[in-house]
Structures are given as C-alpha cells and as structure tokens.
Amino acid sequence: MPDHTDQTKTEQINTDQTTSEQINTDQTTSDRSSRTPSATRFRATVLGYPRIGPHRELKRALEQFWAGEISTGDLTAVGHALRRADRAQLHAAGLDSIPVNTFSYYDHVLDTAVMLGAIPARFAGTPDGLDRYFAMARGGSDTAPLEMTKWFDTNYHYLVPEIAADTAFALHPEKVLEDLAEAVADGIPARPVILGPVSFLLLAKPAGADGRNRSARRSRWPGERGTVRHGGVRLLDRLDEILPLYADLLSLLAAGGAQWVQLDEPALVADRTPAEIDAARRAYADLSSREHRPAILAACYFGGLGDAAPALAGTDIDGLAVDLVEGTVDALAGAPGLSDKLVVAGVVDGRNIWRTDPDRALGTLATVLGLAGAVAVGTSCSLLHVPYSLAPETRIDPQVASWLAFAGEKVAEVTMLSAALNGDADAVSDRLTAARAAVRDRRAARSVHDAVVGDRLASLRDNDFRRGPATARAAAQAVRVPLPPLPTTTIGSFPQTPSIRRARAGLRNGSVDQAAYDEMMRAEIADVIALQEELGLDVLVHGEPERNDMVQYFAERLRGFAFTDHGWVQSYGSRCVRPPILFGDVSRPGPITVPWSSYAQSLTDKPVKGMLTGPVTILAWSFVRDDQPLGVTARQVALALRDETLDLQAAGIRIIQVDEPALRELLPLRERDRMAYLDWAVSSFRLATAGLADSTAVHTHLCYSEFGEVIGAIDELDADVTSLEAARSHMEVLDDLNAVGYSRGVGPGVWDIHSPRVPSTAEITDALTRALAAVPADRLWVNPDCGLKTRGPVETRAALANLVQAARAVRTG
Ligand code: GLN
Ligand code: ZN
C-alpha cells in the first residue's frame, strides 16, 4: 500500500496546528516584492471550467448564430449569462480565486492568436470581431479555416495558430479585459487565465506549413509543433516579439483589478529540449521582473513537470500549478526556488470523472507543504474535459454514480480538501466521511470485479496474441475470397441520412418500437448493399446505420460501462461528445454486430466486411477506470471483441475490420512512456483478432493523419490489410510503412472525405499511380480516407463511382 493512503498522515495534517497557522497567517507575495502589493495567496481553486453551458446553451446559440437565426447581441448575451452564472457558482462554492477568461466562443488557443494579432493574411480583409473569429475557426466562403488538432492527449481539439515571417504581433486584450471587468463588477476574486507565450508558440505552426514537408509531418505532435524545424523555422525564436505584449497585458490586468493571472504552459510537460526549457526560463524571468503586474501563476498540466520545474521555480513568478494526478511531487523536490512560492497542487483529477480519494490527496498535499511556501488545493488541469454536474443524471446506477465527480462535484472536493488542509477538517468531516466511504465502496464493489474476466485474463498464453504467418494467411484468404488486384472497398459507414436519424430519435422517444426500428435499419442496409453492387465495389460493408457512435454503440452492448444523459464535453467549437464511463470489468453478454453483418452478407455474393471498434479507440473515447492499468482494461475489451470476431467468422463473415483511429491519440506526451503504451495498444489489438482462422482476413483502419511514431506499431498490429488516411498527405505514408518493413495489404485513402468535394477519376487514378510506386499491385487496396457517415448520398455515389472507375483503369493499365 503506498504511503499516501496512510491514514495517520492525514490526521497529522488535519490536526497540525503549526502548519495551518503558517498558512492562515501567511502574508502575501508583497512581503518579498513591492510589485504585487495586493496579491493574497489563495487556498482553493480550479484551473478552468466547462464553457459550453450546463444545458449546452452555448452550442445552441452558436449554431443559431451561424444559421443567421440570432444576432451578435443575442449570442454575446448568452456568453455573458453563462460566464456570470459559472463565476457566481464557483464563488459560492467556496473557491477563493476564480478562473476567468476560460470562456470562449470557440477555442482558447484561437482566442490567444486573436489577442496577439496572429491573423493569417487570408483573413486580413475580414473586419475584426466575431465574424473574422468564426471565419478563422470554420472557414469563410473561400478561405480555409485554421487547421484543427488534438489538444495534447485529450479529446479536445484546438485551432492551430499560423505565424508567418511577416506576422506583426499586436495586443488585442479586449476579450480578457471584458471578462475580468465583468467579474470584478460582480465582486469576484478573478484570476484571468491565458495561454502562456511558450506554449502558444509551441502549439502554433509557421504559415504555409501544410504538412507536405516530410520531416515536419513525421515528427509533428500536438504541443511539439514549434519544436519541429518546419523548413528551418523555429517559432520559439519569435518569443521576444510576444513577451512585451504579454507584459503590457499583465499591466492592464493589474490595472483592471486582477490580483493573480494564470499563464497556462501545458507544453512544458512534454519532452522539451534544453533550448526550449531555457526559453521558458527567459520568458518567466522577463514577465516576473515587470513592474506592474498581478501575481503570476504558471500552470503546467497533463503530466509531471520534469526539467521545467527548476527553470520556472528559479524565476520570480509567484506560483506554480502542478498536475499531481498524472505527475508526481518528485519534480518539485528538485525545484528549490519553490519555498517562497504558492504551489497550486492539482490533486483533483481535472480530466477524469472519478471521485478523489481524500486520504491519498491529503497525503500528497502534505508532501507539497514541505516543499512550497504555501499550498492551494486545485484541479490537475482545467475542468473543460469533464461534464458540468452529476445532479441531472438519472440513468447511472446510484452506486456507480456515488463514485463519480463531475465539474461541480470536483469544485466541492477542492474546497473540502482545502478545509481539511487548513485545519478545518471538523467543518467538513461529514463530507470527508462520505468521500472515504465512496472510495472504499468502489474498491470492493461486485459490479466492478468479475472473477470470470479475471480468470480469462490470467490464463492468456502467447499464442492468444499470434496468428499464422502472413504469407500463409494471404494464400488462404485468396482461396476463400478471390479478389481482383487493387480491390475497392470503403471504411464502413455510409451517409447517416435524415431517415436514419429520425428512426433513432423515434426509438429514443418511444414513437418507434424496436421491431420497427430494426426493420428500418435492415432497409437501409439493403439500400447500401444494392448501391455498392451497382457501383461495382469488390468488398462491401453494411454501412453502420444502426450505430449512433462507433464507441458508444459497443459500450452500450458490453458489461462494465455506464452512460450519462447530460454528460456532454466539448470536443471543438459547438461540437460535444458524451463519453461512456468504463467503470468495471468488461465482458460481452452476447453477439453485438452479428445479426446486422449476417443480414448484409445474405443479400450479396460479394464479401461483406464485419466492422468492429478496437480496444484502444474504445478506451480513448470513454472515461476509463483509474484503478487498474489501462493495458489491463484494454485486454478485457479485447477479449470481448475477440468473442465477437469468432461469432462473425462462425456466421460466415470472411473479412473483419477492427478500427483503431485513436491509436495515435493516446500516445503519451513523454518519449519514455511511449514504448509501454504501444506495447499494450498493439497486444490488445492482436488479442482481439488473433483467434481468427488464417483464411479470415483482418483489416484495420486508422485516421487523423500524422502517423509518425506509431508507424512501427501499425506494422505490429499484424493486420492483413491496413487502410489509412492519406489523401491530404500525398501517399507519403506508404514510404513510411515500407521503411518499417510493412509487407501486407494497404489502402491509402484516395478520397479526402473531410471535404464535400468529389474527386475526379483522373485525380484518383493519379493517386493510385503514385501509390503503385511504393506498393506492388497485389498489396494495394483502393478506398476513401475514412467512413462516409458525414457525407451526403449524392457526393458519395459520385465519388465511389469515380473510385471504382479509377481502380479499373489502373488495373487494365
Ligand atoms: N468504420 C468507421 C466508419 O466508417 C471508422 C470511423 C473512423 O475511422 N473514425 O465510420
Ligand atoms: Zn477514419
């Protein structure tokens, strides 16, 4: 048992008068510096808050605004009301420093780009204001939007700022000043939150870098863009241009009544070069030396701090927010300058939904107390990544619900821990008791632990992860499913038509019964099969009409998952997702996809692919239990999928595709953690698929481009055919696959399905000809970049017709 769960230690903290008094009477940072005379150290905060609205008010307002149904004034009124309500709630809950400027009409990185005047030239003609802001986010009539990519290893997407050689940075502080002024007027102790200068540059890309630059593309990783020598451009070299703007901003914030400012530097938790660490040191030494400024809190989250800790602690900043859920206190021990700083100890998980173990958290806080000038309790990162509140949930089993904390509940955890840390444990003793009971109950719960699953996992042998030799498989598959060279296929989903959506809504609200719904889905499947036969595709799909979402669909049919009614989390802009909650051992009560796939296969002599979502992707797009290693959970999911593959095979399905679009997404930020991740990611995929006969073909599909460091792992998945997003990266992925010795079937996407544009036969022929330079015809497949569910039926038919034409043209050469 780790010592941070030691009960005695907690009691020590609760009753340690000296410590509490030290904190209680701790004066301000002004003791040390006349620059920040009024900055009082606070005790309880969160690093950020959800912003889409408890009932997705912002989503609705944005979509109405974009549709021209409401005015700018209507939209900003919604924003104002949401900010005001959230601030008031956080204040009433007992936080003594409230983050502001965490609200955004689309994305906080875009907000920062606008604040610094980093407006790409193509938007220069658009008058500034919300119209230009949304044009940058979503594209204008003939201007492409900023590129969007994942925010570190989360499911949130940010807009990638573009910085050109001639970008003339200039400060536009209106948004943050307005948020601050609103809060000050309401009497709120507001702490503006702003993306810090180092992370801003590291997250940006040089204007004109479109991913074609090979070296840039290969090493790109969210949060590391600035490191990459995009054709020799290092954006961190622009630091000196933006630091004066940040300094001006700090002085405006101080004048506007901010005692503290939070500068977010999540990029500093990824691997950084000494030069980058030095840039961070220089930036914060500069900003903290400025005359007029609030107290500066640098916030580094999504992992442990490493080398950046001593660099930041060695400057005159006033506080450091650290992630003690994904990181440990070890890095702080090596940062001596902390003894006169406030450490905001992120002991409450900001991105997962489990209730905090109070004893464990208090143990960690005790350690931090020994290292820092003062300690405030905080969240590990912004609460942007969790739903607002558990209160409206009715669908979650009450026992499971008692183990959870969403944003509102996490705020209460912060104040509870802060009270306990500050010698006021009595006042929160009921809450502490309840929290301890919930943690104990979760550990012991029968619904979490399934002995059958445990036994199955324990009895796995090496052979369960291995198939026969690839050449033998290819020979067996060629006999069972003869195919022409360059076989044509699709990735799985066909357009989710209004009638499919209507049927699903009807099923939900009771106006359509299950039998009628199933009948509608079968009709859809029959249409999709007929269409593919008419177009002449070689390997067909059933179209996935029955799936609302490729993860939720499976989660709802497996044991070990719970679901929310209102647990929405922002994915990007107005888009929200409602991740399932994986709380217990996973198993499969019965076949999931078999009836649909068999029905589809019964309609045609051509092979129909069975279609499953892989274990890594199921984990990546759910809230996952934190009480066992992810690799163990992944194996449980893999075993459930393995059962499904065997049932599909028994039902006569000859090709089974297991999608892993999220393989790249979960890759750890630090190099040293990557091997272990790739190891369990690959082995769970293999466990899911290796039960199949040699004559059954295993396909996999990956997207979100930039495969970079996972390319070797893609080979190790050992799929017979791998389809990948490639249309935008010009087939370069094929050379990368060759470089790691990949020698099985490959389908580089020849149609960029993210755009409504229909590629011509000539274009596709051209792409295939280029692909053939890297891959022999007997290994090359012809398919789109990804599933077609967001495309319309008209463009789908046209593009697939061209795709089949092109394959035929290239075959006959
Ligand atoms: N089979 C899925 C589909 O076609 C794959 C989706 C994805 O890669 N994101 O929709
Ligand atoms: Zn895809």
Side-chain angles (χ1 to χ4, degrees):
M1 169 99 17
D3 71 358
H4 46 238
T5 57
D6 185 337
Q7 188 72 31
T8 332
K9 208 164 189 176
T10 314
E11 272 152 25
Q12 265 169 13
I13 306 169
N14 297 350
T15 55
D16 185 338
Q17 275 314 320
T18 332
T19 314
S20 326
E21 269 156 31
Q22 267 170 5
I23 302 171
N24 296 348
T25 56
D26 193 355
Q27 280 307 300
T28 62
T29 47
S30 63
D31 289 352
R32 191 172 46 77
S33 158
S34 58
R35 286 180 218 110
T36 54
S38 57
T40 319
R41 284 174 173 174
F42 54 87
R43 295 177 177 186
T45 195
V46 296
L47 296 192
Y49 209 63
R51 56 202 183 198
I52 203 77
H55 305 287
R56 287 181 295 156
E57 292 88 341
L58 182 60
K59 173 194 176 68
R60 297 218 172 81
L62 283 169
E63 287 169 1
Q64 287 173 328
F65 178 73
W66 294 331
E69 292 162 19
I70 63 170
S71 69
T72 307
D74 295 336
L75 175 63
T76 54
V78 170
H80 182 80
L82 285 173
R83 291 194 294 270
R84 175 166 224 177
D86 285 347
R87 282 193 310 258
Q89 195 195 325
L90 295 179
H91 197 209
L95 300 184
D96 56 354
S97 178
I98 313 289
V100 300
N101 194 45
T102 55
F103 176 85
S104 176
Y105 282 108
Y106 203 96
D107 167 47
H108 54 276
V109 182
L110 176 61
D111 294 345
T112 316
V114 169
M115 181 187 86
L116 296 172
I119 311 294
R122 63 184 179 282
F123 300 102
T126 321
D128 71 354
L130 272 181
D131 285 345
R132 184 172 71 190
Y133 180 83
F134 288 131
M136 287 170 73
R138 313 173 67 228
S141 46
D142 44 25
T143 38
L146 299 188
E147 184 190 330
M148 190 164 68
T149 195
K150 299 251 173 189
W151 175 242
F152 299 89
D153 55 351
T154 74
N155 242 325
Y156 176 79
H157 302 68
Y158 74 95
L159 289 159
V160 182
E162 292 172 23
I163 297 174
D166 62 354
T167 296
F169 294 107
L171 185 65
H172 299 275
E174 295 76 12
K175 172 182 180 275
V176 48
L177 291 179
E178 189 187 317
D179 277 18
L180 174 63
E182 281 174 11
V184 169
D186 287 350
I188 302 283
R191 186 181 77 247
V193 178
I194 295 148
L195 182 61
V198 179
S199 292
F200 173 74
L201 291 176
L202 289 172
L203 292 167
K205 71 172 192 181
D210 64 353
R212 291 186 201 199
N213 176 319
R214 215 179 134 71
S215 60
R217 183 178 56 77
R218 292 188 58 153
S219 42
R220 232 153 61 180
W221 166 249
E224 290 192 355
R225 286 171 187 280
T227 353
V228 173
R229 280 139 235 83
H230 295 279
V233 184
R234 290 177 49 95
L235 289 175
L236 263 188
D237 293 345
R238 310 291 293 269
L239 193 57
D240 289 336
E241 294 171 48
I242 63 172
L243 283 179
L245 307 188
Y246 274 87
D248 289 349
L249 176 67
L250 295 191
S251 116
L252 290 169
L253 293 176
Q259 293 201 17
W260 282 86
V261 63
Q262 174 181 324
L263 295 176
D264 281 356
E265 292 289 4
L268 297 180
V269 308
D271 291 326
R272 303 267 65 120
T273 64
E276 289 161 351
I277 297 288
D278 201 58
R281 184 197 336 269
R282 206 157 51 76
Y284 284 88
D286 177 343
L287 294 177
S288 63
S289 73
R290 301 287 175 147
E291 280 291 314
H292 302 288
R293 63 169 178 87
I296 296 173
L297 174 71
C300 304
Y301 43 84
F302 298 145
L305 251 182
D307 298 348
L312 292 174
T315 71
D316 279 337
I317 62 168
D318 308 272
L320 194 58
V322 290
D323 180 342
L324 297 173
V325 174
E326 289 188 64
T328 66
V329 289
D330 298 355
L332 297 183
L338 282 181
S339 54
D340 67 346
K341 299 199 192 325
L342 173 71
V343 168
V344 176
V347 291
V348 170
D349 195 341
R351 55 187 288 196
N352 208 338
I353 43 62
W354 306 105
R355 215 160 157 163
T356 307
D357 177 342
D359 297 320
R360 193 182 169 129
L362 288 167
T364 305
L365 290 166
T367 312
V368 181
L369 215 42
L371 299 166
V375 177
V377 179
T379 50
S380 63
C381 60
S382 168
L383 294 171
L384 177 66
H385 311 285
V386 296
Y388 271 85
S389 168
L390 266 174
E393 297 302 334
T394 51
R395 199 155 52 121
I396 312 175
D397 171 84
Q399 190 188 16
V400 174
S402 76
W403 307 333
L404 306 179
F406 291 175
E409 292 78 22
K410 284 173 189 289
V411 169
E413 291 188 321
V414 165
T415 58
M416 172 188 77
L417 292 168
S418 171
L421 181 70
N422 289 290
D424 216 1
D426 283 354
V428 290
S429 65
D430 289 356
R431 285 158 65 191
L432 279 167
T433 305
R436 288 184 178 122
V439 168
R440 265 198 310 272
D441 180 58
R442 181 177 163 214
R443 249 181 233 140
R446 302 181 69 160
S447 55
V448 171
H449 306 285
D450 180 338
V452 177
V453 175
D455 291 348
R456 264 190 97 180
L457 240 62
S459 64
L460 291 174
R461 298 285 169 268
D462 282 358
N463 260 346
D464 297 319
F465 298 84
R466 266 203 302 263
R467 303 186 70 202
T471 42
R473 285 166 8 216
Q477 289 159 22
V479 173
R480 189 159 174 222
V481 182
L483 289 167
L486 280 78
T488 51
T489 190
T490 59
I491 304 304
S493 57
F494 266 65
Q496 290 256 334
T497 58
S499 74
I500 297 176
R501 273 193 265 272
R502 265 200 306 279
R504 196 149 34 242
L507 182 67
R508 254 200 318 272
N509 69 28
S511 64
V512 172
D513 68 14
Q514 188 69 47
Y517 174 81
D518 290 353
E519 200 41 60
M520 292 177 193
M521 294 302 121
R522 272 195 290 274
E524 284 290 337
I525 290 171
D527 285 352
V528 165
I529 294 287
L531 173 65
Q532 294 171 91
E533 292 215 304
E534 179 200 325
L535 292 170
L537 285 145
D538 300 307
V539 171
L540 313 194
V541 296
H542 77 285
E544 305 178 23
E546 78 288 7
R547 302 186 190 175
N548 40 3
D549 171 278
M550 67 184 289
V551 167
Q552 194 184 343
Y553 180 77
F554 287 92
E556 281 174 349
R557 286 154 184 82
L558 293 170
R559 285 199 196 94
F561 286 88
F563 304 91
T564 66
D565 287 318
H566 308 277
W568 296 99
V569 176
Q570 188 178 25
S571 173
Y572 64 89
S574 66
R575 281 284 273 272
C576 301
V577 293
R578 212 166 22 144
I581 296 169
L582 196 172
F583 70 89
D585 287 345
V586 174
S587 60
R588 189 194 70 140
I592 299 171
T593 64
V594 179
W596 304 117
S597 289
S598 317
Y599 174 67
Q601 185 65 83
S602 75
L603 302 173
T604 175
D605 293 333
K606 291 199 166 162
V608 174
K609 282 194 276 193
M611 203 61 64
L612 306 176
T613 302
V616 176
T617 301
I618 289 183
L619 262 54
W621 297 346
S622 302
F623 288 118
V624 180
R625 59 193 291 188
D626 59 355
D627 58 348
Q628 67 184 16
L630 281 179
V632 174
T633 309
R635 282 193 178 193
Q636 296 184 355
V637 175
L639 278 175
L641 293 170
R642 185 180 174 105
D643 296 344
E644 185 73 11
T645 64
L646 294 175
D647 283 347
L648 283 168
Q649 177 177 262
I653 299 299
R654 295 163 282 175
I655 303 178
I656 297 173
Q657 178 172 311
V658 179
D659 294 328
E660 281 294 22
L663 184 71
R664 179 73 166 81
E665 178 181 320
L666 282 194
L667 190 72
L669 298 180
R670 296 257 191 207
E671 180 79 48
R672 60 160 187 262
D673 303 325
R674 291 187 188 165
M675 280 284 278
Y677 160 70
L678 291 173
D679 209 56
W680 70 251
V682 166
S683 76
S684 63
F685 182 93
R686 292 176 67 139
L687 180 59
T689 51
L692 292 167
D694 282 0
S695 60
T696 302
V698 171
H699 288 209
T700 190
H701 165 71
L702 295 95
C703 45
Y704 303 121
S705 235
E706 297 179 16
F707 300 105
E709 331 225 359
V710 304
I711 204 92
I714 293 175
D715 184 33
E716 285 172 36
L717 297 177
D718 198 29
D720 297 299
V721 177
T722 304
S723 66
L724 304 109
E725 181 176 326
R728 280 182 297 181
S729 66
H730 307 266
M731 303 284 144
E732 284 166 4
V733 67
L734 297 177
D735 296 333
D736 296 348
L737 277 174
N738 284 340
V740 296
Y742 182 92
S743 58
R744 297 174 303 281
V746 57
V750 291
W751 165 22
D752 174 9
I753 60 84
H754 301 96
S755 138
R757 227 183 112 258
V758 173
S760 67
T761 305
E763 252 174 83
I764 301 175
T765 308
D766 188 52
L768 291 174
T769 310
R770 266 180 292 126
L772 280 171
V775 179
D778 63 347
R779 294 208 282 117
L780 187 62
W781 284 65
V782 182
N783 49 256
D785 260 345
C786 192
L788 307 176
K789 64 169 163 264
T790 57
R791 295 272 58 93
V794 176
E795 69 220 41
T796 294
R797 168 186 280 272
L800 289 179
N802 293 350
L803 183 145
V804 170
Q805 278 312 310
R808 286 185 180 148
V810 176
R811 270 175 212 157
T812 55

